[in-house]
Amino acid sequence: MAVSLRRARVIIRKALEKGREMQLKPLSVVVLDAGGHVIAFEREDGAAPGRFGIAQGKAYGAVMLGMAGTAQMARAEAQAYFMAAVNGVYGGKVIPVPGGVLVRDKKGAVIGAVGVTGDTSDNDAIAAMAGIEAAGLAGEI
């Protein structure tokens, strides 16, 4: 199973809706496939133009490490040298904070990741989960 474009669009739409419901700052949302390639991206009006790179970095780290943003942050705090080495391997593309959410199929296999940025990292993760669940998939914060 893979994240289809149709599901990616649902994820983005519902994540943005959740952000508006929570009165968050303007969000940017990216959906990646299991290989770290962009399926879809949207940036709300008023979101900073550099948010694509942040959303992608959150999702990219999650999918490439098989480790959601919260776990990456804990690992970075405990072993900063490990995350520095990982970022060296991946060309500085990994942003190890909440808001990078793994997407799993019903059997638990990683099929992609969602990156949300714009508000606090914890709120970004909540918005990402709302989108993933609306698409009928499982997320790991």
Side-chain angles (χ1 to χ4, degrees):
M1 176 184 213
V3 179
S4 66
L5 178 59
R6 183 185 63 74
R7 278 195 163 150
R9 288 177 173 158
V10 169
I11 291 168
I12 290 170
R13 186 177 77 250
K14 294 298 186 178
L16 295 176
E17 285 177 12
K18 184 67 172 179
R20 287 189 294 275
E21 173 190 312
M22 294 174 62
Q23 299 182 349
L24 303 183
K25 294 177 184 172
L27 298 179
S28 296
V29 184
V30 70
V31 180
L32 306 183
D33 66 17
H37 303 99
V38 175
I39 299 170
F41 170 76
E42 285 191 27
R43 180 175 61 89
E44 284 188 301
D45 293 343
R51 290 292 179 174
F52 172 76
I54 297 169
Q56 184 181 28
K58 288 180 174 188
Y60 190 78
V63 77
M64 297 314 264
L65 295 172
M67 181 186 302
T70 301
Q72 288 179 60
M73 187 171 75
R75 184 78 182 262
E77 290 169 346
Q79 297 176 314
Y81 60 88
F82 174 76
M83 289 310 292
V86 164
N87 249 324
V89 169
Y90 293 119
K93 294 181 184 178
V94 175
I95 299 180
V97 296
V101 180
L102 285 172
V103 179
R104 295 184 182 273
D105 66 13
K106 293 179 182 181
K107 294 181 181 179
V110 174
I111 59 170
V114 175
V116 177
T117 184
D119 204 84
T120 67
S121 292
D122 290 337
N123 284 340
D124 293 344
I126 291 167
M129 282 298 294
I132 292 166
E133 290 170 355
L137 297 168
E140 180 183 330
I141 294 177

